[in-house]
Amino acid sequence: MIVVMQPNAGPEQIAKVEERLRSFGYTVHRSGSEQIVLGAVGTPRSIPDPRDLQTLEGVREVIRVARPFKLVNRAFRPEGTIVDVGGVRIGGDELVVIAGPCAVESREQLQVAAAAVRAAGARILRGGAFKPRSSPYAFQGMGEEGLVLLREAADEQGLPFVTEVLDTADVALVERYADMLQIGARNMQNFRLLARLGQSSKPVLLKRGISATLEELLMAAEYIVASGNPRVVLCERGIRTFEPWTRNTLDLSAIPVLRKVTHLPVIVDPSHATGIRDHVNPMARAAVAAGADGIIVEVHPTPETALCDGAQSLTIPGFRELMADLRIIAPAVRRHFSAPQPTLRKTQAQPLFARACVVGVGLIGGSLALALRESGVVGRCVGVDRPEALDGIRAAGVVDEVVPVDRLGEALAQANLVVLAAPVREIEASLRLIALHLLPGALVTDVGGTKQLICESAAQALPPSVHFIGGHPMAGSERRGASAADPLLFSDAVYVLCPNPGTPPDVVALLSQAIRAIGAHPLEVEPERHDRLAAAVSHVPHLLAVALANSVGRLGLQDALALRLAASGFRDMTRTASSPYPIWADVLSTNRVPIHERLAFVRQCLDRLEAAMDDEGQLQAEIEEAAAHRLNVPRAIPGIQRSEAELIVRVMDKPGAIAEIATALAREQINIRDIQVLKIRQDENGTLRLAFENREITCQAAEVLRRIGQSVRLRSD
Ligand code: PEP
Ligand code: MN
């Protein structure tokens, strides 16, 4: 029996109704916040007449639920349930993709899979540590070791994870590690296990049994909810039919049926449903089109070597393709994808380095200090800087303690990790100075933009009792100083590591782990190669920007029209020419030889182009080749969150114009990530630039704004 209260019913009225229901022998569950709904379940001593309950104060409606499932019945929570899994919400507008290997097999297998599925847009990691196998001789899973690896990989990627629990005896163990517990198809009617997970504080993924009806599935869910855990997600994973050409038969009609009769979210597992890799993508697309709240899919870096379910596991490129397909379908069924929020979660239970010392607490040093502390990589972090900078650094709160350079020795004497975060020449000069104070076994690294000079100097200056690994995070910002420090500065950035030849591999692995924990991607490169490539992709392009800006600027001295005609293309090409000299001084002067070599090569390219001016075919070939190369440049600038697409909206210059736009978007739950007024002139239209989370949302926003009559243009990167 379900009792719907009036929206304005008071607490005493609600309590009275609950009391009355209990007097019949019912157990009462509440749902709703503004409008309370009471679900009365159990076997009453006598069944009350709904008309009697209807007369109680504050009661709006009494519904007798004919179906045997009550608490998971949609009538009990008409608005639907959203299940939060470690911050990821299943059952809302977002389409949630859960992905990962069938079984955890090794750290490497899991780490590669986790990084790849996250990068492609999965929001939750999957992986079995306890495997229900049809044969007792098949791989049964890694057990607790697998759980440890899952936790580690999930944390490294900032994803929650789901894993199967096979037995009531394992629940406490699995609960300690996992963010969501899965009850597998074979256990759907293991009523003791269902009831035990009803007492869990973790959400549950309940898979449909191989020959279970939807009512049986819902009754299994009812067990969990009635035992006290309302956070249940249902999963259609195929049922056994007479059809032998697929492992199971995916019951797509389960999706609309379940969505009608229950308020619980419904996801689909196309992997177990089909058992065949080639059929996974089409069935996933169909599931999303049919209204599933998400999908769970098996992905393996090398399916051919998988210990379990290799034949149905997608490869990593296959998974990327699937995500690309779903991104097209989702908006058609009013669903969107969220980019994983780059938040730093404390990923290390124990700090990897008890004490760190950051020498030079500017933007990079400060951001690094913050990131290392927030991720739990370092226990305590001391900053060292010039006396005049100390107050600002203290105010920014990026380190636990900050000391002036004359107390450098003191700060270093206890540090297991030392980060030199100054310009290249200062780093080089400081190596001899710090050598006197370092703790034996300490790891020293730096963030300088050129690596050869620093790595060679370190090899000479530092005692053999310490380790040195040159570092260069490929992230930056136009802003400067500790006050602009951002712990997310390194998220998704490539972080170059140049270990000195004598550095043991486990020390390199330790620093790599630290770098992954702050969201960056460590990449080992020899110093000479780093500097040669940096000359090609950064230093020489900067010099070209300077040359271009000067060439047009000098022309502008003779003809002022020159600068007025130089529009956005010219600004783009010369952007780095605006950055102050000190930022470039050291990297340019410490990378002379590679820069000279590179400039000579660019000069050759210019000569070829000049010659091609008299040969149309050649010119066309040069230009087309450049366009092709440019397509291969990654779009996202590491470390900086950019929108793939933005909207340019022309707005009337009138009161409430922006409010109208913001309200229309808010009504559709669309979040504006960035807003900029590009041009406002009196009595003329203004122009707004709006940025959103991703391309789909941008397209949705465009549609919403067009519907309210705005003139909107999509601007793609
Ligand atoms: C699994 O998810 O790997 C699994 C065993 O699923 P099911 O219980 O649906 O077979
Ligand atoms: Mn499997």
Side-chain angles (χ1 to χ4, degrees):
M1 182 153 317
I2 283 173
V3 181
V4 183
M5 301 297 294
Q6 306 271 16
N8 58 0
E12 332 71 53
Q13 293 172 334
I14 297 166
K16 249 201 196 118
V17 179
E18 284 179 327
E19 196 40 54
R20 175 67 71 88
L21 289 169
R22 283 197 199 97
S23 73
F24 288 101
Y26 283 118
T27 308
V28 183
H29 295 253
R30 266 195 204 198
S31 92
S33 50
E34 270 158 39
Q35 181 165 35
I36 299 291
V37 181
L38 302 174
V41 292
T43 1
R45 283 179 289 278
S46 62
I47 296 182
D49 185 336
R51 282 169 303 187
D52 292 345
L53 292 168
Q54 189 80 62
T55 59
L56 293 176
E57 261 179 72
V59 171
R60 176 164 169 181
E61 195 183 356
V62 179
I63 306 167
R64 290 196 65 160
V65 183
R67 296 200 195 266
F69 49 92
K70 317 285 178 189
L71 300 176
V72 305
N73 200 302
R74 182 150 295 257
F76 183 53
R77 204 186 290 271
E79 72 279 16
T81 290
I82 293 180
V83 175
D84 187 299
V85 181
V88 177
R89 291 154 56 84
I90 307 180
D93 294 339
E94 182 183 349
L95 185 73
V96 175
V97 174
I98 305 174
C102 176
V104 182
E105 297 166 14
S106 69
R107 168 178 279 133
E108 212 216 331
Q109 169 241 18
L110 188 63
Q111 280 183 346
V112 172
V117 299
R118 176 192 174 273
R123 297 278 276 142
I124 300 177
L125 177 67
R126 66 149 286 150
F130 295 93
K131 293 306 303 175
R133 301 306 297 274
S134 305
S135 161
Y137 310 119
F139 173 61
Q140 305 286 314
M142 291 178 77
E144 183 168 4
E145 200 186 338
L147 296 173
V148 171
L149 294 178
L150 277 163
R151 186 71 270 159
E152 185 183 287
D155 283 347
E156 229 171 72
Q157 299 303 330
L159 298 175
F161 82 85
V162 57
T163 195
E164 177 164 358
V165 56
L166 279 184
D167 193 293
T168 48
D170 300 329
V171 175
L173 173 72
V174 180
E175 263 178 335
R176 263 210 304 284
Y177 292 95
D179 300 291
M180 183 182 217
L181 309 178
Q182 171 175 329
I183 296 187
R186 291 153 196 82
N187 263 322
M188 190 205 83
Q189 285 189 319
N190 179 340
F191 300 112
R192 298 281 297 272
L193 186 59
L194 295 169
R196 172 64 186 82
L197 291 198
Q199 286 153 25
S200 177
S201 59
K202 297 282 166 83
V204 177
L205 178 60
L206 177 63
K207 297 189 105 181
R208 181 178 182 182
I210 289 169
S211 57
T213 64
L214 292 177
E215 185 165 300
E216 284 162 345
L217 171 64
L218 290 167
M219 290 312 289
E222 185 87 5
Y223 257 95
I224 304 170
V225 179
S227 309
N229 186 354
R231 299 161 72 198
V232 178
V233 174
L234 303 173
C235 179
E236 161 58 38
R237 44 79 71 209
I239 47 177
R240 178 154 298 178
T241 65
F242 45 79
E243 178 52 64
W245 284 5
T246 48
R247 181 173 173 179
N248 292 288
T249 297
L250 179 59
D251 180 9
L252 275 176
S253 55
I255 305 163
V257 173
L258 288 172
R259 283 172 62 85
K260 188 153 231 151
V261 298
T262 178
H263 53 82
L264 296 176
V266 179
I267 70 168
V268 166
D269 175 346
S271 306
H272 292 88
T274 59
I276 299 162
R277 179 174 318 124
D278 285 353
H279 305 331
V280 170
N281 183 330
M283 286 298 97
R285 298 191 309 239
V288 170
D293 293 297
I295 61 162
I296 177 167
V297 60
E298 288 182 345
V299 180
H300 197 289
T302 50
E304 63 284 3
T305 69
L307 297 179
C308 187
D309 286 351
Q312 69 193 33
S313 296
L314 292 182
T315 60
I316 289 165
F319 179 66
R320 280 196 212 110
E321 211 172 289
L322 168 63
M323 291 301 290
D325 288 349
L326 297 186
R327 281 178 202 283
I328 296 169
I329 295 171
V333 285
R334 307 211 141 265
R335 298 271 185 178
H336 67 262
F337 283 97
S338 283
Q341 293 299 313
T343 48
L344 270 185
R345 284 212 285 168
K346 196 166 182 137
T347 58
Q348 304 297 133
Q350 290 290 324
L352 300 179
F353 303 95
R355 281 171 168 269
C357 175
V358 175
V359 184
V361 194
L363 174 84
I364 299 284
S367 300
L368 207 46
L370 258 186
L372 292 169
R373 286 168 66 216
E374 289 189 7
S375 61
V377 167
V378 306
R380 188 175 164 74
C381 185
V382 180
V384 181
D385 214 307
R386 289 164 293 117
E388 63 272 23
L390 299 190
D391 284 345
I393 295 167
R394 238 175 249 125
V398 292
V399 282
D400 296 296
E401 187 190 344
V402 55
V403 299
V405 269
D406 58 1
R407 286 173 54 200
L408 176 66
E410 219 177 288
L412 291 172
Q414 301 184 41
N416 323 94
L417 174 69
V418 177
V419 182
L420 305 174
V424 177
R425 289 204 184 277
E426 278 178 44
I427 294 173
E428 190 214 355
S430 65
L431 285 164
R432 274 181 206 294
L433 199 65
I434 66 164
L436 307 170
H437 306 285
L438 291 169
L439 206 60
L443 169 57
V444 182
T445 185
D446 76 301
V447 300
T450 56
K451 296 271 60 88
Q452 215 178 345
L453 175 73
I454 292 177
C455 290
E456 278 167 12
S457 306
Q460 286 169 14
L462 299 181
S465 60
V466 305
H467 309 294
F468 182 82
I469 303 175
H472 183 202
M474 311 298 274
S477 145
E478 265 93 75
R479 305 172 64 202
R480 301 182 70 184
S483 60
D486 173 3
L488 299 178
L489 186 67
F490 310 100
S491 47
D492 271 337
V494 171
Y495 199 121
V496 170
L497 293 182
C498 304
N500 265 11
T503 310
D506 58 326
V507 177
V508 181
L510 188 69
L511 187 58
S512 300
Q513 192 185 342
I515 284 163
R516 277 193 293 268
I518 62 170
H521 306 290
L523 184 69
E524 267 186 65
V525 181
E526 302 76 45
E528 182 274 333
R529 185 173 173 208
H530 167 273
D531 288 3
R532 198 160 29 85
L533 296 179
V537 302
S538 164
H539 307 164
V540 167
H542 174 61
L543 293 176
L544 291 175
V546 169
L548 266 179
N550 283 340
S551 73
V552 175
R554 285 169 197 162
L555 175 64
L557 296 178
Q558 296 152 23
D559 185 345
L561 195 56
L563 288 177
R564 288 191 55 198
L565 293 185
S568 61
F570 181 75
R571 286 189 68 86
D572 285 352
M573 287 189 69
T574 54
R575 189 170 51 83
T576 70
S578 317
S579 51
Y581 176 65
I583 290 187
W584 291 96
D586 279 12
V587 284
L588 295 180
S589 73
T590 56
N591 206 24
R592 281 209 177 86
V593 175
I595 291 175
H596 278 306
E597 284 170 9
R598 208 60 218 164
L599 279 172
F601 188 73
V602 172
R603 218 169 267 128
Q604 280 175 26
C605 291
L606 284 173
D607 288 344
R608 269 174 74 102
L609 265 182
E610 192 170 5
M613 289 301 296
D614 300 322
D615 176 346
E616 205 176 306
Q618 186 57 30
L619 186 62
Q620 183 179 357
E622 291 275 333
I623 290 175
E624 286 176 357
E625 184 190 334
H629 290 312
R630 196 173 174 280
L631 275 182
N632 294 326
V633 179
R635 252 161 203 264
I637 299 175
I640 298 180
Q641 283 197 5
R642 284 193 29 175
S643 309
E644 300 162 25
E646 306 170 335
L647 294 185
I648 304 298
V649 190
R650 307 247 299 146
V651 287
M652 297 296 284
D653 186 14
K654 62 165 193 194
I658 295 180
E660 206 176 283
I661 288 170
T663 311
L665 294 172
R667 223 182 288 126
E668 298 290 325
Q669 305 283 315
I670 294 176
N671 181 41
I672 303 174
R673 276 251 318 252
D674 196 8
I675 184 166
Q676 187 185 6
V677 180
L678 295 179
K679 188 179 79 179
I680 288 286
R681 284 200 216 124
Q682 191 114 45
D683 300 329
E684 254 188 61
N685 288 341
T687 311
L688 283 185
R689 183 186 69 89
L690 300 176
F692 303 88
E693 187 91 38
N694 58 39
R695 208 186 162 82
E696 289 79 49
I697 301 180
T698 310
C699 295
Q700 272 178 34
E703 213 185 290
V704 170
L705 295 181
R706 285 194 185 112
R707 252 187 270 134
I708 61 163
Q710 298 286 347
S711 138
V712 178
R713 186 162 60 83
L714 190 79
R715 186 162 82 174
S716 297
D717 180 22

